Amino acid sequence: MEFDILYQHRDFIIIYKPCGVSVHKDQETIGLTTQLANQLGVAQVWLVHRLDKITSGLLILALNAESAAEFSRLFAEHQIHKTYLALSHQKPKKKQGLIVGDMKKARNGAWKLCQSKENPAITRFESISCEPNLRLFFLKPQTGKTHQLRVAMKSLGSPILGDALYGKNSAEVDRTYLHAARLEFEFHGEKFDVKVIPKEGECWQRESVIAKINENHFFGKGKIPV
């Protein structure tokens, strides 16, 4: 597999990670970082953050140890701002706002959102109706907890379309509809704003969905209210 490189800097690259590709080696003969190093003709690349196997979209990889350390700091200090797109068949309890709560382990590898807020997961969201029984969500995680966005969507009563762990009737859906669409950050005094639309999934190709993505703040035509 050759990965699409969306941005190449002397210290890092940003690639498109397809849905279904793990950032870890799993059972594959060659892991993602080794494949990328081979593709670039370099000895090593550094994984500085992660996307779930089911999630497509933007992934940063450092090209040297120094930039890997800098990105680790930026992520730890929440200086890298991420926007995700998601689809759901279910109308949420509210159309926009904040989802805040502690996350605790549940059964079968799942997590659940609690009412307590000692070390909460925080997600800002907005949703738009695309067509009957199909809503587009813009998700901005303020923290980086495991399964945070998937749990947040379930807590709204709008599990992500195709999410086998947190939703229903996923067998008939061609993918889990969660996509890392935008990264905004500053690196060594230079500002970066990288965006990509999802490539895999029949529902992402629907005209109603494409129209709502294009007319909204994903492309800088508006701003999620604070």
Side-chain angles (χ1 to χ4, degrees), residues 16-36:
Y16 182 100
K17 187 194 84 66
C19 173
V21 173
S22 176
V23 299
H24 303 292
K25 191 172 179 182
D26 288 349
Q27 278 74 48
E28 301 295 327
T29 307
I30 302 176
L32 179 145
T33 54
T34 303
Q35 288 183 59
L36 269 170

